[in-house]
Amino acid sequence: MKQLLLRVPDELHRHLVARARRSDQSLNAVATFILDAGLEGNQGDAQACVRSRARALGILQEAPAPRVAREARRAAIASTAGLGPCVDDYLQADRARQ
């Protein structure tokens, strides 16, 4: 793994540190995630973004997801019905704080 010495404005550093604290991650993990997500080819690709973050955190698992019985899947989906708008509102508020 290579190291990168990067000079950033004080305000940007404060924002990065605050984001790292909010997500309970290291500053390095947050910066690596942001840099990787900004690379050409990753923009707009949500799956690549999630994989990049998981890889940076050391939690990426390449094994296929376990099979779930149809009824268990339906029950899981039903249990989250109506949460979409609440989650969207929470994420929007969080983005506004950043």
Side-chain angles (χ1 to χ4, degrees):
M1 182 172 293
K2 299 287 183 179
Q3 289 186 344
L4 172 67
L5 176 62
L6 183 65
R7 290 181 180 86
V8 297
D10 291 341
E11 185 173 347
L12 175 58
H13 186 268
R14 281 192 297 276
H15 285 291
L16 289 169
V17 168
R19 182 170 173 174
R21 285 183 182 148
R22 280 194 311 273
S23 61
D24 196 27
Q25 296 177 314
S26 70
L27 178 58
N28 186 76
V30 169
T32 299
F33 170 73
I34 291 170
L35 288 169
D36 191 48
L39 289 176
E40 197 171 326
N42 283 350
Q43 294 177 348
D45 187 348
Q47 186 177 15
C49 186
V50 170
R51 285 184 170 277
S52 171
R53 184 170 188 188
R55 188 176 296 110
L57 293 171
I59 60 171
L60 180 65
Q61 294 186 8
E62 296 293 338
R67 305 270 308 159
V68 177
R70 180 174 290 167
E71 198 52 45
R73 182 176 182 275
R74 285 185 183 148
I77 291 170
S79 73
T80 62
L83 291 180
C86 297
V87 172
D88 290 344
D89 291 345
Y90 175 79
L91 291 174
Q92 184 69 20
D94 188 53
R95 288 183 188 119
R97 287 193 303 263
Q98 294 179 12

